[in-house]
Amino acid sequence: MPTRPLLAILATLAALGQAPASESVSSATIEVILIEGTNMAASLSPDGQTLAIDLIGRIWTLPADGGQATALTDPFGDTRAPHWSPDGRRIAFQAYWAGDYDIWVVDRDGSNLEQLTSGPFDDREPHWSPDGSRVAFSSDRGGTYDIWEVTVESGATRAMTDGADNEYNPAYGPDGRRIAFVTDGPDGGIWIQRGSANPSRIVDLAGGQGYAPAWSPDGGSVSYVRIANGVSELSVIVSDGVDGVGSRVSSNNEDVFPFRASWTSDGRLVYTADGRIRSRPSGGGRSSDIEFTASVTLERPTYRKALRSFDPDGPHPVRGIVSPSLSPSGDAVIFIALGDLWSMKIGSAPVALTDDPFVELDPMWSPDGLWIAYASDREGGIDIYVRDVATGAERKLTTDGGTNPAWSPDGSEIAYTGGEGQDRALRVVTVTTGTVRTVRTGLNNPGRPTWSPDGRSIAVSALWTYSSRFREGVNRPLLLPVDQAVSQEDALPVAALTEGNGWAGDIGLQPETALQANEHWLDFAPHGSLASRGTDGPVWSPNGRMMTYVASGVLWVVQVSPGGDPLGPPSRLNNEQSSDPTWAGDSGSILYLTTNRLRRVWLENGRIEDVPLPMTWSRVVPSERYVIHAGELFDGVSSRLRRNVDIVIDGHRIVRVTDHATELHQGRVVDASDGVVSPGLVEMHMHGGLGSGEQAGRQWLSYGVTTVRTPAADPYEMVEVRESNAVGRRIHPRMFGTGNTIDGSRVYYAGAPALSASGQVELGIQHAEDLAFDVLKTYVRLSDAIQRRVIEDAHELGIPVTSHELYPGVAYGADGVEHVRGTSRRGYSTKVSALNRSYQDVVELLARSGMTLTPTVGIYGGYALLGEEDPTLFDDPRIQVFMPGGAERARRGGSSDTRRRMVEDMASLGRRVIEQGGTVVLGTDSPILPQGLSLIAEMQALVEYGRIPAIDVMRATTSIPAKAMGYGDEFGSIRAGMLADLIVLGANPLSDIRAIRDVRMVIKDGRVYTLDQLLERPMR
Ligand SMILES: [Zn+2]
Ligand SMILES: [Zn+2]
């Protein structure tokens, strides 16, 4: 593998047109000129001569009357929110170089870059004091966002506010004694604090979102931005009133960005809106725009994608090993693979304990080794079953969707997670009686529980957040008494909890809010975060004296007190990507998964051994040769349908596509003479592993979806879906995907491991290689420098990388952008404004780079609006069978001109990218929206609200995504040699996209399914 400097040289050579033929990655250089900025902030220098802007996350300066912008910061800092020092010599801003936001300053010529604040917290939105000695900023270092200030000379910091809500967007008054800021929460508004007096609210935001107060030079007025109901306004209000409403400065329908305006000495406001830098009299009136150009360079790589084979070329070793569990005797393992539950005496071949097309998950031994608890959906919903190991007799134990069973030390009870959606409750069921009690609600998808040795408490991995302003936090072990009285109403979401327990104590802060009685965070993970809220621990040892868990990608053990508190520093047990640790009954060894195998570590001497899993899979393909006679054919590319076509299928491939010929009608003929045959649809952004159950595969196929891609999943479940589908155990679209996201030090989703050591990135890349991930997803808290490293390393393995971020990933070869909007560490999108509008920078970067955009407008209101405006979407047997109640859920909030305009503006980004030659693919973030229905709704929404021609939407769900993934010669279009993934529709979707609803037949890998077959649950 070449070193990085060599790669840089190769890139340069490639740019000069001398790409060395032997290297896997070369790149082309593209220069892009930006003339607009989406959600860009601007600050006018005190002398009124120079503007600082934060276009695409870099600080630039330009003349105040417009012109060419000069970058002061590199592409990796996500540098934002510039503000000039009063002497006009320096600019303060927030930067993400360290993997969290800190306040930095730089001289106006780009020299003397200096870091003013540091630490694991986020410091944002700097504002210089009038005397230049201090910089105010907002920070989550106190458990909520508060206003802090740093003394420039000494670096000393101090809190200026300590409200229970979040305070942010500070601005010193011109006298230096007052400070204006914004709060959220029930008392949300624009506030002014005068010295040590209680703050007073000058603007009641009345439920809207407020931003960015800015003082007039005489201190008599404050400008601010308010966004509500699809309107974003810049207003001005007197600074000494109470709960007023400002007078609007901006014009009707102006898309004002949520950043601080600058007042000029002649009473104008310079602010950003509609992608422009704009100037307008503070009393309202005619505006003028300040034109700029900014040049950025994109290095776009060419590399050979690592492709998988879809031909029967097995046997392959089984890699989709899910939730392995070591027996108390230490000589056997149970696990899920190829769609069933298996038991393996170590050293022997595995034996299947189930044999059905349903999913099994989460097997766990009872402490005496006589029972196994596991979950399955074989009676409909997923629930927990217990199995007598000796007799094989089984009993269903839960009815509330239970998963993640964990036996109490005496074997009489099982703790598990149950209930609907994200707010899964921690519950305990008595094994003999089935009596269920709830231990805790309000935890955001807690991990698999583990019991204290006395059976009176359980520990889980839970999300600890830094504030309620942003949702990200770290996964920390939380200890809960099993028998506390808790009701649904009492339970606080953990997001509201800020108890410190030594955590916040690192910087000398006291806990502000207690957890519920007898609950406490355990402090033993190095750098704070457990790997995930899943099966990565903590797991209490059977003797009660230790816990094991995964952090920084690797396995740890720590001695604990009977109450679970650490008795010393943890010990690292290995140096490889690890997950799913379980203990032997004697507490002497731990079984775990590492990339593509099972291993076991002995605590006594640190010895690590492979646990062989002699199990293979081979792809099963049909062998029949038959003909589909198509009345009309959409081949995935051409805008003209071909009439009267015979498609000859042999096994799993198309072998011939020709004008109808009677002599071909031999043997089986699938008569689609009154239908339109299209390639099967490709869904590029879905989630869901085993937890979606057996039904998910049939549901996707019933809507014509024959290929799906998941940009974040449990890696072993993703592989299990691939393998169980290949062997024909479960019907499912062809699965492409990745494992966990590669994120920064803070995470949100249960499956996402936080980055707490830089070596973790290498482990993650190794994991991707060993499990043959089809894509990598970098997530929103990852620093841009590490993202670049991931992109380079992934490309060397032939794996594409996608993320929510546009720049700078687009400049360093990122392959895709997920979501028009998408969650962002900034609190606002850099791709779309609060009013859902995107400007030239976004369109240009997407179109010129060719990176894929997966809009997912459905989850941002497109689906609900369509469901409201066209309820015939739900007149469908698939709704009754697969999602009773789902149709109702879609119709929320109603249709209004505002909602419609917002969806239209958002969906139009896809059209503009296509018009300018860019690449749009479709995805839906299902199961947030129901599988399959989500995609056909997205297709219709993009045609109706985005005014994208139906042909482009059809290509974006067939040939284009296949090509983007490197499989343009395997599926996504219909011609000889391609995999036989076809759908038969009742009408032509190019003339009316709603025809995509009318799926008569689905052919995947050559197997023909009628809609009725797909609606039918398989027999046990
Ligand atoms: Zn024919
Ligand atoms: Zn997603």
Side-chain angles (χ1 to χ4, degrees), residues 685 687 711 777 804 819 925:
H685 190 130
H687 301 282
K777 172 106 166 272
H804 287 196
H819 313 300
D925 234 347

Side-chain angles (χ1 to χ4, degrees), residues 430-723:
T430 304
V431 177
T432 50
T433 63
T435 311
V436 171
R437 63 190 195 279
T438 295
V439 172
R440 185 65 149 90
T441 59
L443 300 176
N444 180 331
N445 276 326
R448 177 190 278 169
T450 190
W451 290 76
S452 65
D454 64 4
R456 293 173 58 191
S457 302
I458 53 179
V460 291
S461 179
L463 182 66
W464 183 96
T465 55
Y466 288 78
S467 80
S468 57
R469 186 178 172 201
F470 296 94
R471 67 183 190 174
E472 290 86 6
V474 294
N475 299 322
R476 299 181 66 198
L478 177 64
L479 191 77
L480 310 155
V482 169
D483 286 315
Q484 66 183 337
V486 61
S487 70
Q488 205 85 13
E489 295 71 46
D490 293 343
L492 287 171
V494 160
L497 305 175
T498 56
E499 190 249 11
N501 193 26
W503 173 258
D506 293 347
I507 58 156
L509 288 174
Q510 293 305 309
E512 292 190 359
T513 312
L515 292 169
Q516 291 178 38
N518 302 322
E519 295 183 354
H520 76 279
W521 297 104
L522 303 175
D523 266 327
F524 55 67
H527 314 290
S529 195
L530 299 187
S532 72
R533 305 195 299 285
T535 52
D536 289 335
V539 189
W540 228 305
S541 63
N543 67 12
R545 294 209 290 270
M546 295 168 281
M547 284 195 202
T548 185
Y549 58 92
V550 178
S552 312
V554 300
L555 194 62
W556 301 78
V557 68
V558 63
Q559 307 278 334
V560 296
S561 72
D565 289 304
L567 298 175
S571 307
R572 186 165 53 79
L573 293 177
N574 63 9
N575 195 24
E576 55 192 354
Q577 177 80 35
S578 305
S579 67
D580 293 80
T582 55
W583 291 90
D586 64 4
S587 302
S589 62
I590 297 166
L591 179 83
Y592 63 96
L593 268 173
T594 179
T595 65
N596 56 10
R597 75 188 76 183
L598 277 173
R599 302 191 95 180
R600 187 174 187 177
V601 58
W602 273 264
L603 269 60
E604 188 180 60
N605 52 14
R607 184 163 50 95
I608 296 176
E609 280 182 6
D610 277 356
V611 175
L613 188 76
M615 192 173 177
T616 60
W617 64 273
S618 294
R619 185 176 301 279
V620 177
V621 299
S623 56
E624 190 187 6
R625 188 180 176 98
Y626 62 96
V627 177
I628 302 167
H629 178 96
E632 292 182 290
L633 172 72
F634 167 63
D635 67 4
V637 179
S638 173
S639 57
R640 296 194 38 187
L641 297 192
R642 203 169 149 185
R643 286 179 198 287
N644 219 20
V645 177
D646 283 345
I647 304 162
V648 183
I649 312 286
D650 190 355
H652 65 307
R653 289 195 181 268
I654 299 166
V655 293
R656 206 173 156 194
V657 180
T658 179
D659 293 341
H660 161 73
T662 314
E663 67 270 21
L664 288 175
H665 284 226
Q666 299 191 2
R668 184 180 181 196
V669 176
V670 174
D671 181 12
S673 55
D674 61 350
V676 177
V677 174
S678 157
L681 305 179
V682 182
E683 151 74 67
M684 287 288 272
H685 190 130
M686 54 77 81
H687 301 282
L690 300 182
S692 293
E694 176 277 336
Q695 172 185 303
R698 286 184 292 119
Q699 189 173 328
W700 280 116
L701 284 168
S702 77
Y703 281 95
V705 179
T706 52
T707 295
V708 295
R709 186 186 74 160
T710 178
D714 177 285
Y716 298 98
E717 293 190 19
M718 188 275 289
V719 176
E720 193 274 356
V721 173
R722 274 191 335 211
E723 292 174 349

Side-chain angles (χ1 to χ4, degrees), residues 703-753:
Y703 281 95
V705 179
T706 52
T707 295
V708 295
R709 186 186 74 160
T710 178
D714 177 285
Y716 298 98
E717 293 190 19
M718 188 275 289
V719 176
E720 193 274 356
V721 173
R722 274 191 335 211
E723 292 174 349
S724 62
N725 183 229
V727 301
R729 173 83 285 189
R730 271 202 321 278
I731 297 174
H732 200 276
R734 181 172 298 105
M735 173 71 118
F736 292 95
T738 188
N740 301 316
T741 52
I742 297 182
D743 206 346
S745 61
R746 301 184 187 189
V747 294
Y748 174 71
Y749 289 106

Side-chain angles (χ1 to χ4, degrees), residues 876-914:
D876 194 306
R878 291 169 292 199
I879 303 284
Q880 278 83 56
V881 171
F882 290 134
M883 54 200 112
E888 286 312 307
R889 247 183 297 148
R891 280 177 241 167
R892 278 193 290 230
S895 157
S896 69
D897 288 349
T898 300
R899 282 167 63 96
R900 187 170 233 281
R901 197 186 66 231
M902 300 256 314
V903 171
E904 286 173 350
D905 281 341
M906 172 172 37
S908 74
L909 175 62
R911 185 189 72 245
R912 291 153 70 201
V913 168
I914 292 170

